Amino acid sequence: EKQKLLKRLNTVSLWLGLLGSLGVSIVGNFQETSVVVVHFIGAALCFGLGTFYLWIQVYISCYLRPNGWPRLILCVRIVLAIVNTSSLITSVIASAVATFQAAAAGEEDSSYFQHWESGSAGWSSHLVATISEWVMAAAFDIYILTLARDMQGLCLESHCNKAVVENVVGVDALE
């Protein structure tokens, strides 16, 4: 029963990780100053689904620990997942507050939200949101680094069938 649950969670985690990676690509390819909506969709995929990915990995780490694996790594992962989650919540709330404060001050021009200035309406909330985003990204990156020890023993091999390769590539290309 527990084995089936862990297998399902691992599959869900794989899909969340893939969608989160897609989100990183979207964020990188559609800058906030160019296509705001697409950028935010990418950020939601990356950080929103990424947070769920972290927590699923924490849960899996509780049950699947390699031999000689220090318990400290699990504690570090839990702390990083908490930091990531609290940063996500802080970032979303502070962004909403900054937008509300700016709108209340009569700033509805979309270029205003792309170029914040010190002392303008919503500046401090925007600053909190930005710092939270960077803390969230750092916590996520450090979390991924904690997975390196789990991957140390993995070995990937590739086996080619010569007959298949000859049909695809051609006999002359192999010689």
Side-chain angles (χ1 to χ4, degrees), residues 27-104:
V27 166
N29 288 299
F30 297 93
Q31 297 177 356
E32 186 177 3
T33 56
S34 301
V35 189
V36 177
V37 174
V38 177
H39 181 83
F40 286 147
I41 289 170
L45 285 172
C46 172
F47 293 118
L49 296 181
T51 300
F52 287 110
Y53 172 84
L54 294 185
W55 283 109
I56 290 173
Q57 288 299 313
V58 164
Y59 183 81
I60 291 172
S61 295
C62 291
Y63 293 99
L64 301 177
R65 293 186 347 185
N67 292 335
W69 194 73
R71 188 112 177 120
L72 177 64
I73 291 179
L74 178 60
C75 295
V76 168
R77 287 181 185 173
I78 291 170
V79 167
L80 289 170
I82 290 169
V83 168
N84 183 279
T85 304
S86 59
S87 294
L88 176 65
I89 293 167
T90 302
S91 179
V92 169
I93 292 172
S95 292
V97 169
T99 303
F100 176 76
Q101 289 172 336

Side-chain angles (χ1 to χ4, degrees), residues 20-30 42 46:
S21 297
L22 175 65
V24 170
S25 178
I26 291 172
V27 166
N29 288 299
F30 297 93
C46 172

